[in-house]
């Protein structure tokens, strides 16, 4: 459970977000247009009936009846509640709905532009970057070649590897355990990732790939070694470039036996989340359906495939998610949850720590926000989270290490 000091301050995107509401409003406008067309067709048919020669020739036989019929047709077509009058009203409604949506979207864009400028100003002041993705790519050039990945299985054991996650905080907690294999910039376990496989025999197995973040943030170009999660990889990823870490993750997924049609969830912190978002955005030979990021800048990606789900957690005290210089797009696929965790004053670096994101994940689990609820339910429906239901019959885990070779 989340502590009393954790507060969700903002939720953006998702199935209940403005983009979906606007799309529904446009669909309503189209329905109004269609109703107007159908009513106009009915009214036109009534006018043709009134002008039928056979009807006119019957007038001398019963002038009062003919007059009543003509009056009824006139009222039914052009009267205050007639078909032609109603068709105009329906079409006016369609125009007004479209105008209202256009004005709302224009207002949203103005606010979004202002927020982007504000975020960029904050980041410029904090890290001296004026155009984060572009400049990150330029700085990455200083590191030269990224080499190629070498992937090898390890005998490392991660606590809880054979326990299926029930809630979001279980996912983030297990990711923290995987990250703990690397205990410092010089750790021999740098670059380790884990693949957890859930199977119940009723369908294809599901796989959760846990991707920790940067192992050595202080790597300078002339000190780059085989550590694949270093500052150079951060910059390359931010600049939209392929990396040995990203390629190594895909190779490890293949070595783990993940089938092309097996549903995959990628969970990553910091650089790991950036890498997960890049894999989903750029596409791969795997069936990645869900991504969860914690403390990861993701606004630099071009977007995510329709039908996928991306849940991004951002701690208000953490500057790392801001280094992309823009807020995440409020898309149907991605929901960004911003939270404030006032449980301790631990400085700029400490605000990026896992324990904040564990607290944030617990707050998300307890949230009733419709966009958040939909994301969590999607993870349960896909079989990645057990929730209150039965856990998969078989849960296994494999650990791999990705290193950089020249």
């Amino acid at each position: 459970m989340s502590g009393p000091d954790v507060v969700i301050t903002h939720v953006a995107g998702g199935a209940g977000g403005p983009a979906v509401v606007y799309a529904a409003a446009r669909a309503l406008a189209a329905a109004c247009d269609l109703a107007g067309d159908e009513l106009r067709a009915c009214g036109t048919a009534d006018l043709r009936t009134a002008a039928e020669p056979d009807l006119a020739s019957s007038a001398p036989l019963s002038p009062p009846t003919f007059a009543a019929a003509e009056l009824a047709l006139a009222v039914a077509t052009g009267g205050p509640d007639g078909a032609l009058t109603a068709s105009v009203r329906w079409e006016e409604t369609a125009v007004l709905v479209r105008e209202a949506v256009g004005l709302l979207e224009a207002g949203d864009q103005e606010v979004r532009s202002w927020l982007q400028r504000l975020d960029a100003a904050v980041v410029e002041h904090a890290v001296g970057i004026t155009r984060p993705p572009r400049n990150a790519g330029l700085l990455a050039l200083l590191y030269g070649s990224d080499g190629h990945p070498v992937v090898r299985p390890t005998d490392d054991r991660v606590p809880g590897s054979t326990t299926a996650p029930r809630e979001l905080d279980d996912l983030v907690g297990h990711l923290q355990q995987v990250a703990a294999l690397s205990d410092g910039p010089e750790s021999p376990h740098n670059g380790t990732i884990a693949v957890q496989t859930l199977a119940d025999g009723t369908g294809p197995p599901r796989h959760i790939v846990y991707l920790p973040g940067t192992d050595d943030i202080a790597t300078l170009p002339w000190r780059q070694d085989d550590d694949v999660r270093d500052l150079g990889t951060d910059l390359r990823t931010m600049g939209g470039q392929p990396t040995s870490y990203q390629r190594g993750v895909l190779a490890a997924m293949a070595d783990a036996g993940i089938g092309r049609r097996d549903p995959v969830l990628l969970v990553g912190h910091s650089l790991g989340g950036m890498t997960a978002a890049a894999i989903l955005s750029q596409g791969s030979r795997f069936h990645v359906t869900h991504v969860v990021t914690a403390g990861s800048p993701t606004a630099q990606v071009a977007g995510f495939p329709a039908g996928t789900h991306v849940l991004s957690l951002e701690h208000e005290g953490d500057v790392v998610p801001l280094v992309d210089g823009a807020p995440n797009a409020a898309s149907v696929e991605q929901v960004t949850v911003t939270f404030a965790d006032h449980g301790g004053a631990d400085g700029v670096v400490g605000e990026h720590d896992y324990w904040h994101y564990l607290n944030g994940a617990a707050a998300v689990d307890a949230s009733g926000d419709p966009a958040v609820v939909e994301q969590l339910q999607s993870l349960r429906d896909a079989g990645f989270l057990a929730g209150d239901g039965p856990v998969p019959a078989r849960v296994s885990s494999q650990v791999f290490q990705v290193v950089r070779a020249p």
Side-chain angles (χ1 to χ4, degrees):
M1 297 292 292
S2 60
D5 294 321
V6 181
V7 178
I8 293 178
T9 57
H10 185 63
V11 176
V20 176
V21 175
Y22 295 156
R26 285 199 172 89
L28 173 63
C32 291
D33 263 339
L34 179 61
D37 291 342
E38 292 177 349
L39 284 168
R40 186 184 303 104
C42 291
T44 302
D46 289 344
L47 288 176
R48 284 198 297 266
T49 300
E52 282 289 332
D54 290 343
L55 181 61
S57 64
S58 69
L61 300 177
S62 180
T65 304
F66 174 78
E70 288 286 288
L71 178 61
L73 285 171
V75 171
T77 54
D81 297 315
L84 293 179
T85 304
S87 72
V88 172
R89 289 173 180 165
W90 279 102
E91 289 171 349
E92 286 177 345
T93 300
V95 171
L96 289 173
V97 170
R98 290 194 179 98
E99 287 291 329
V101 171
L103 289 171
L104 288 169
E105 285 185 322
D108 283 352
Q109 184 57 47
E110 286 296 321
V111 172
R112 190 176 300 116
S113 298
W114 179 80
L115 287 173
Q116 288 173 351
R117 291 193 297 270
L118 178 62
D119 275 348
V122 171
V123 174
E124 288 165 17
H125 180 72
V127 297
I129 298 177
T130 55
R131 299 182 67 180
R134 178 180 177 181
N135 285 358
L138 293 174
L139 289 172
L141 295 176
L142 297 174
Y143 286 80
S145 171
D146 192 32
H148 68 274
V150 174
V151 179
R152 52 179 177 255
T154 79
D155 295 327
D156 293 303
R157 292 292 178 264
V158 181
S161 292
T162 57
T163 301
R166 287 192 175 274
E167 304 294 346
L168 184 67
D169 64 345
D170 295 326
L171 285 177
V172 177
H174 194 67
L175 177 61
Q176 182 184 30
Q177 296 281 5
V178 176
L181 294 175
S182 173
D183 55 7
E186 305 303 323
S187 171
H189 297 276
N190 284 355
T192 46
I193 68 172
V195 178
Q196 192 177 45
T197 299
L198 316 174
D200 52 21
T202 61
R206 288 91 65 200
H207 308 273
I208 306 175
V209 183
Y210 296 90
L211 306 177
T214 310
D215 292 319
D216 187 0
I217 194 64
T219 304
L220 297 174
W222 52 89
R223 293 175 50 199
Q224 182 170 270
D225 51 20
D226 65 351
D227 189 348
V228 77
R229 292 195 300 236
D230 59 10
L231 179 57
T233 302
D234 282 300
L235 294 171
R236 292 184 183 98
T237 306
M238 179 65 65
Q241 302 172 17
T243 68
S244 286
Y245 186 31
Q246 182 177 333
R247 294 191 295 268
V249 168
L250 294 173
M253 291 168 64
D255 290 349
I258 298 179
R260 292 179 179 271
R261 297 184 179 180
D262 296 351
V264 177
L265 161 65
L266 304 178
V267 185
H269 174 254
S270 194
L271 171 61
M274 292 167 62
T275 300
I279 289 173
L280 178 59
S281 177
Q282 296 168 13
S284 70
R285 61 186 182 275
F286 298 104
H287 184 42
V288 179
T289 61
H290 292 73
V291 164
V292 173
T293 71
S296 305
T298 63
Q300 71 277 2
V301 300
F304 301 105
T308 59
H309 287 76
V310 180
L311 178 56
S312 296
L313 309 185
E314 297 187 356
H315 178 215
E316 279 194 348
D318 186 2
V319 300
V320 174
L322 300 178
V323 298
D324 50 17
N328 294 337
S331 67
V332 176
E333 293 75 28
Q334 184 175 22
V335 171
T336 302
V337 180
T338 305
F339 65 93
D341 183 10
H342 305 296
D346 45 11
V348 173
V349 175
E351 301 286 6
H352 191 53
D353 281 351
Y354 275 95
W355 71 271
H356 284 297
Y357 286 96
L358 275 170
N359 291 341
V364 169
D365 284 328
S367 173
D369 184 278
V372 173
V373 170
E374 190 274 335
Q375 284 276 336
L376 294 178
Q377 189 59 49
S378 176
L379 287 165
R380 297 186 192 104
D381 292 343
F384 296 120
L385 295 180
D388 295 328
V391 297
R394 297 187 303 278
V395 181
S396 59
S397 181
Q398 303 172 72
V399 177
F400 298 88
Q401 184 177 31
V402 183
V403 297
R404 178 191 294 113

